Amino acid sequence: MSKIYFFKDQEDYIKDLTDDNIINVIGTKGSGKTTSSLKYIDDDDYIVINCDRLFELPSTEKEDKELANIRKMLNDKYGKLNMNDDFTNCYNDIVEYILNKNKKGLIEGNVIQNIDPNQLKGKVIIKRTASYKSFKRAVKRDYQNEYFMNLEKEKHKYLYKLTRLYKIRKRRKSVFKQAKDIEQIMNKLGGNTHE
């Protein structure tokens, strides 16, 4: 990964893969995936799914109107979902669910990176936000999460703010590795394309 990409945003990588009405948004934590998908949330023609929220709570009703239905469908079919499992079958089921509703779909989340990129449907947009900026955003956003902050408070009492910050910074260092993984996905899809 170049130093320029570490500190400076790069143009999004965009490529049409199939004719399906699906947009896949991939990027590191803090890269702006969810923010870029917000413009589709109130569009009744779209179903917007943040796949990471299939595994992690909490989620918001506005952001994930169909998420509860999809989570139930996948749990009924595969049992309890595990982020470490192969996500390809779940992804295909989500795409089928969206298309059977005669809707367009926007699917985003880090877990999509675990799928062979040549198996993605529709269009792929890869957010290439500077790694350092993504790291700072992810730490700032996740640190403030009330749900996880309360868990830390129960466990560590008066030191909960420090332990929360330590854990978040440690976990979010994966942003730098994810940036390299995303470059590999782009290479598999054909390099720097903007179609």
Side-chain angles (χ1 to χ4, degrees), residues 48-85:
V48 176
I49 299 298
N50 179 330
C51 290
D52 295 332
R53 291 194 178 143
L54 289 169
F55 307 98
E56 298 175 2
L57 292 175
S59 62
T60 65
E61 185 178 325
K62 181 177 180 185
E63 286 183 284
D64 301 305
K65 294 176 185 175
E66 295 281 352
L67 187 67
N69 296 334
I70 290 175
R71 183 184 289 136
K72 182 178 180 343
M73 173 192 71
L74 295 174
N75 281 331
D76 289 348
K77 186 170 183 178
Y78 300 107
K80 182 161 174 51
L81 296 177
N82 183 339
M83 199 170 215
N84 296 324
D85 290 342

Side-chain angles (χ1 to χ4, degrees), residues 7-123:
F7 291 110
K8 185 178 177 186
D9 295 347
Q10 300 294 306
E11 189 173 339
D12 289 349
Y13 171 97
I14 301 171
K15 185 167 185 176
D16 290 320
L17 304 173
T18 68
D19 292 334
D20 298 294
N21 282 321
I22 301 292
I23 300 170
N24 303 278
V25 183
I26 300 174
T28 64
K29 287 192 179 288
S31 63
K33 296 182 307 294
T34 302
T35 301
S36 68
S37 68
L38 291 177
K39 64 183 172 184
Y40 297 94
I41 287 190
D42 292 323
D43 186 334
D44 290 336
D45 292 335
Y46 277 87
I47 294 177
V48 176
I49 299 298
N50 179 330
C51 290
D52 295 332
R53 291 194 178 143
L54 289 169
F55 307 98
E56 298 175 2
L57 292 175
S59 62
T60 65
E61 185 178 325
K62 181 177 180 185
E63 286 183 284
D64 301 305
K65 294 176 185 175
E66 295 281 352
L67 187 67
N69 296 334
I70 290 175
R71 183 184 289 136
K72 182 178 180 343
M73 173 192 71
L74 295 174
N75 281 331
D76 289 348
K77 186 170 183 178
Y78 300 107
K80 182 161 174 51
L81 296 177
N82 183 339
M83 199 170 215
N84 296 324
D85 290 342
D86 180 14
F87 191 69
T88 305
N89 291 332
C90 293
Y91 172 82
N92 290 329
D93 290 335
I94 292 168
V95 169
E96 184 178 335
Y97 177 91
I98 292 168
L99 297 178
N100 284 341
K101 293 236 177 205
N102 294 317
K103 301 278 188 173
K104 299 173 186 174
L106 186 138
I107 303 173
E108 61 110 335
N110 292 325
V111 72
I112 298 173
Q113 295 175 39
N114 299 334
I115 300 170
D116 179 342
N118 293 305
Q119 293 185 10
L120 295 174
K121 309 285 190 243
K123 175 186 287 195

Side-chain angles (χ1 to χ4, degrees), residues 128-144:
R128 298 180 68 214
T129 307
S131 300
Y132 185 70
K133 182 195 276 185
S134 295
F135 172 75
K136 282 180 27 181
R137 281 182 184 168
V139 168
K140 184 177 180 180
R141 178 196 65 215
D142 295 349
Y143 177 76
Q144 299 298 329

